[in-house]
Amino acid sequence: MELPIPYSRQWIDEEDIEAVVSALRSDFLTTGPQVEAYEEAFAASCGARYAVAVSSGTAALHLACLAVGISPGSEAITSPITFVATANAPVYCGGTPVFADVCPDTVNIDPEQVQARITPRTRAILPVHFAGHACDMPVLRSIAERHGLTVIEDACHALGAETPEGGRAGDCRYSDLTVFSTHPVKTIATGEGGVITTNCPSLNDRLRRLRTHGITREIEHMTRHDGPWFYQMLELGYNYRITDIQCALGRSQLRRLSTFLARRREIATRYTTAFADLPQLQLPTERPGHRSAWHLYVIRLRGTDPTARRRLFERLRAVGLGVNVHYIPVYWHPFYRERFGYAVGLCPEAERYYREAVTLPLYPSMTDAQVDCVIQRVREAVMEVTSLLSDAPAAA
Ligand SMILES: *Cc1c(COP(=O)(O)O)cnc(C)c1O
């Protein structure tokens, strides 16, 4: 068996390769028919009216924040347990990310904590569907409505997640915009890539414009029109376009989305069954009616010994498992401490989670033998680390 087993990786098959090769043989390398077809397929898979494909999940977050009007002086409330890109997006727009603590079961943003952090400057709520489990969107939506806020879902972990209301991540039933990433560790891969879904025609138009320098070619949006060559730049945008090559891969990957999700769910269930008798661990769960997309499977080593998680992590790395930690609380990073004055202690539940968490390998092309290997090595390592723990007082 190949070691180390990474925490995640893409699954590319011959059809994917064929799709990319035919894009290379076509007339378009960028912005062509593949982009449009990919956007259509993506919107349909989420149950949204529109999908706008861009160059990365980070670009998608940036454009989403611009499109809803985050600007200097405004605040966006988000989770501290996310990749830094979520919080960086409002900063790109001159805004301030405000961190609300997480729920102990899902590690998703806690609506009560969101409510407590709203100020007159709050412009948006940016919930993150951590590890693929959707946040409590109906409650977040009602808070947003009461305070006139927009909602941008960071669903970079959650393509394919299902909610109790019969919805899917990205359907934007309870949000204005939803953002996805198609980086190779995520549910589907395009190399780099991101998508924004929405049901709002004007946000759709604006995102398309911002993706390409703020330029429009639509006469009805122009202040003058000199002829067929004419275009106008209406606002400051970016080059956040995605290529036809990438979208050909994305379309091909989307066709296997349900296979990817089914295998991720199967592996998660096997882990949960295999570790159920280990009282040292807190395992990830799904709330009633939810189906996670299982981007990550995070175990938590219960207890107060601050060195135990590190010893577990190092032991697992030493036996060939590419375990990881998702994530360091965002506001702990020097940039956030220096720029916004955040300090350790801001979100106690998030910090408790951080001290205990280890992400196990989980990706759809994992073989049963690899899954068994992870199970066996994790069980051994947990026993070793925690028996050392109970020996410690005797040795002292
Ligand atoms: C991956 C990820 C991003 C960034 O996506 P990129 O495509 O890498 O730019 C943002 N938020 C979360 C939660 C992510 O996991």
Side-chain angles (χ1 to χ4, degrees):
M1 187 178 344
E2 289 246 351
L3 291 172
I5 302 173
Y7 91 84
S8 188
R9 61 161 292 152
Q10 72 280 8
W11 185 0
I12 299 296
D13 72 2
E14 286 306 313
E15 280 188 33
D16 294 328
I17 293 167
E18 271 310 305
V20 171
V21 169
S22 33
L24 286 171
R25 292 189 204 283
S26 80
D27 292 337
F28 294 88
L29 292 187
T30 192
T31 320
Q34 294 298 329
V35 176
E36 222 171 287
Y38 174 58
E39 289 176 335
E40 228 167 78
F42 201 102
S45 92
C46 295
R49 269 176 86 180
Y50 308 105
V52 181
V54 295
S55 52
S56 70
T58 303
L61 282 162
H62 183 188
L63 295 192
C65 287
L66 279 176
V68 304
I70 292 176
S71 59
S74 54
E75 296 174 354
I77 300 174
T78 192
S79 170
I81 300 297
T82 184
F83 185 51
V84 291
T86 317
N88 292 350
V91 182
Y92 293 153
C93 305
T96 301
V98 170
F99 298 97
D101 210 348
V102 296
C103 302
D105 60 337
T106 57
V107 199
N108 278 335
I109 202 166
D110 179 344
E112 278 182 33
Q113 296 296 320
V114 171
Q115 178 75 57
R117 308 254 162 167
I118 291 172
T119 74
R121 292 174 300 282
T122 309
R123 185 85 193 75
I125 307 174
L126 234 167
V128 179
H129 303 318
F130 180 74
H133 189 295
C135 295
D136 192 343
M137 291 310 300
V139 171
L140 290 170
R141 183 73 199 179
S142 70
I143 294 170
E145 269 170 15
R146 268 204 307 283
H147 297 271
L149 312 177
T150 54
V151 179
I152 302 169
E153 299 174 67
D154 182 338
C156 288
H157 295 182
L159 180 59
E162 294 172 26
T163 62
E165 307 81 38
R168 272 168 288 167
D171 64 12
C172 297
R173 255 164 84 170
Y174 300 101
S175 68
D176 300 278
L177 299 165
T178 304
V179 166
F180 294 91
S181 164
T182 52
H183 181 278
V185 299
K186 309 292 166 72
T187 319
I188 65 163
T190 62
E192 300 285 349
V195 180
I196 310 152
T197 60
T198 185
N199 294 322
C200 171
S202 62
L203 283 174
N204 176 53
D205 285 345
R206 180 113 192 262
L207 291 166
R208 287 174 190 285
R209 202 156 69 218
L210 287 168
R211 168 174 72 178
T212 182
H213 310 283
I215 285 173
T216 187
R217 289 178 180 279
E218 318 241 338
I219 297 174
E220 70 264 31
H221 293 142
M222 294 186 196
T223 56
R224 59 181 277 172
H225 186 250
D226 293 354
W229 65 88
F230 207 66
Y231 60 84
Q232 278 188 328
M233 184 185 134
L234 302 182
E235 61 183 324
L236 185 64
Y238 298 84
N239 177 356
Y240 281 166
R241 295 186 303 264
I242 190 168
T243 66
D244 249 37
I245 306 167
Q246 291 167 299
C247 290
L249 178 56
R251 284 178 76 194
S252 179
Q253 288 264 297
L254 264 185
R255 287 186 207 114
R256 302 218 304 298
L257 175 60
S258 60
T259 309
F260 291 165
L261 289 166
R263 181 60 179 159
R264 283 185 175 275
R265 286 173 177 140
E266 188 174 51
I267 296 167
T269 304
R270 287 192 58 190
Y271 284 162
T272 298
T273 309
F275 304 136
D277 65 330
L278 296 176
Q280 305 94 322
L281 296 184
Q282 180 180 332
L283 303 177
T285 55
E286 289 168 300
R287 287 189 179 179
H290 281 268
R291 292 186 81 200
S292 176
W294 290 108
H295 167 58
L296 302 175
Y297 192 95
V298 181
I299 58 171
R300 293 176 63 169
L301 189 61
R302 285 198 171 110
T304 47
D305 181 338
T307 68
R309 189 275 303 270
R310 177 166 181 165
R311 283 186 286 115
L312 176 64
F313 186 97
E314 286 174 344
R315 214 164 274 251
L316 292 172
R317 279 278 175 96
V319 297
L321 304 194
V323 290
N324 221 315
V325 171
H326 296 94
Y327 293 94
I328 302 151
V330 172
Y331 60 84
W332 281 19
H333 288 290
F335 170 81
Y336 280 97
R337 297 172 68 154
E338 286 158 23
R339 172 80 72 97
F340 300 103
Y342 293 133
V344 171
L346 182 65
C347 298
E349 195 57 51
E351 296 182 9
R352 183 160 33 249
Y353 160 83
Y354 164 69
R355 285 194 297 271
E356 299 177 351
V358 177
T359 304
L360 302 185
L362 172 57
Y363 51 93
S365 63
M366 267 180 102
T367 63
D368 286 340
Q370 286 175 316
V371 176
D372 290 338
C373 169
V374 172
I375 289 171
Q376 191 196 333
R377 288 174 188 191
V378 168
R379 289 186 63 89
E380 285 165 5
V382 168
M383 301 293 190
E384 275 170 31
V385 166
T386 52
S387 75
L388 283 176
L389 274 182
S390 49
D391 287 350

